[in-house]
Amino acid sequence: MAPMTAPAPAPARPATDQARPAPTDFHTLVTEAATAPTDGWDFSWFEGRATEERPSWGYARSAGDRLARAEAALDVQTGGGEVLDFALGVAAPARPALIAATEGRRPNAARATALLRPRGVVVTEVPDGAPLPYADGTFDLVLSRHPVSPDWAEIARVLRPGGTYFAQHVGPASAFELVEYFLGPQPEEVRTGRDPGRERAGAEAAGLEIAGLRAERLRMEFHDIGAVVHFLRKVVWMVPGFTVEAYEPRLRALHERITEEGPFVAHSTRHLFDARKPGEPARR
């Protein structure tokens, strides 16, 4: 298993870090996790503290292969730009003539701009759910990794005829062992949200053809309570309004459970979309 959904293997820790004993007491673990930066989608902080199996399809590398063949590409909800940056590295030296990215959170957009500007990527801050600020038929490739909610009509609009939407989505009831530990049993409509079948229907209703749709359930392990705290601060929709103060009794109980029984195990769900806009690509 790899560190939490990092786009590429995290670099090895320096020898001094490897020799330093990890903290084990509740207060130290929680304080460290509660003060660590959470901007972007770099999950290397979790190295040695939490793991998540990666989907077999290798999204970031596959996205790089797609970028190598594209003329104009858009990455929707790019986060801090880390995955797109990795994919462009895979595509090099080939690359689209036009590359754009959107992001809804201002700190992430600033981080993505700093990371991706040297690669010629224009990052635009676009609130989640807002129309994409591009003309109809601008892109022959639209990418997205873990969009909050895919806007199929907008995706179809900005794609050229024959263009492709290639994306990895979060699936239903992802990490719900952790969610329900803090929030209790969730209603069925919440558990079945992000269902790939429903998303497929939404894509087809927008006029896209589904060339491929794959789904996998993947093991996650949290090895200390700090990893849990940092994860819930970073992936804010898992336990809305999460703070250490609000959930301290549950956190202490979980800390004792991990200490006595070993890692807390949950399961993420992911699905891979490969969708195409009908029509023949225009000659350019």
Side-chain angles (χ1 to χ4, degrees):
M1 286 188 286
M4 286 281 183
T5 57
R13 291 182 176 181
T16 53
D17 286 348
Q18 294 173 343
R20 186 181 303 134
T24 58
D25 66 282
F26 177 82
H27 178 75
T28 301
L29 288 166
V30 167
T31 301
E32 180 184 23
T35 55
T38 59
D39 294 343
W41 289 116
D42 178 5
F43 282 72
S44 59
W45 188 92
F46 291 97
E47 185 183 0
R49 310 184 73 155
T51 57
E52 180 180 358
E53 288 181 312
R54 296 185 183 181
S56 61
W57 49 73
Y59 171 75
R61 290 190 179 277
S62 297
D65 294 339
R66 302 290 181 115
L67 285 166
R69 303 192 298 269
E71 295 180 359
L74 169 66
D75 189 37
V76 177
Q77 297 180 18
T78 195
E82 298 90 351
V83 177
L84 179 57
D85 181 65
F86 178 83
L88 286 168
V90 172
R95 52 162 290 157
L98 168 65
I99 314 175
T102 68
E103 172 53 32
R105 293 185 62 207
R106 182 158 297 173
N108 284 352
R111 183 184 181 109
T113 296
L115 179 63
L116 296 172
R117 182 187 290 121
R119 291 194 182 274
V121 180
V122 177
V123 179
T124 302
E125 185 180 340
V126 179
D128 298 338
L132 297 172
Y134 310 106
D136 297 1
T138 299
F139 304 99
D140 61 312
L141 176 64
V142 174
L143 302 169
S144 193
R145 180 178 177 275
H146 302 178
V148 175
S149 180
D151 188 333
W152 295 114
E154 280 295 282
I155 291 166
R157 181 184 67 79
V158 300
L159 275 173
R160 299 174 184 172
T164 297
Y165 174 71
F166 185 73
Q168 178 175 295
H169 292 193
V170 175
S174 188
F176 258 43
E177 297 95 336
L178 187 63
V179 170
E180 294 188 331
Y181 175 83
F182 289 97
L183 299 181
Q186 296 297 290
E188 188 63 20
E189 61 270 21
V190 175
R191 293 187 62 85
T192 58
R194 300 176 178 265
D195 178 74
R198 293 180 191 171
E199 292 192 346
R200 177 179 189 136
E204 291 174 337
L208 299 176
E209 298 174 345
I210 307 303
L213 177 55
R214 301 169 59 186
E216 293 184 359
R217 187 170 184 263
L218 307 156
R219 183 181 176 92
M220 308 170 71
E221 294 184 357
F222 295 87
H223 294 266
D224 66 50
I225 198 63
V228 172
V229 169
H230 190 65
F231 181 76
L232 294 179
R233 291 182 60 236
K234 195 173 185 72
V235 191
V236 295
W237 52 88
M238 287 291 179
V239 179
F242 172 83
T243 64
V244 170
E245 293 75 19
Y247 289 96
E248 183 171 353
R250 295 297 284 164
L251 288 167
R252 285 189 177 276
L254 185 54
H255 170 66
E256 293 176 4
R257 173 175 164 181
I258 292 172
T259 300
E260 295 174 2
E261 301 177 11
F264 181 88
V265 176
H267 295 85
S268 63
T269 57
R270 303 286 183 260
H271 47 274
L272 183 72
F273 262 100
D274 188 352
R276 180 180 180 275
K277 184 172 181 177
E280 295 297 323
R283 294 184 178 273
R284 294 176 182 264

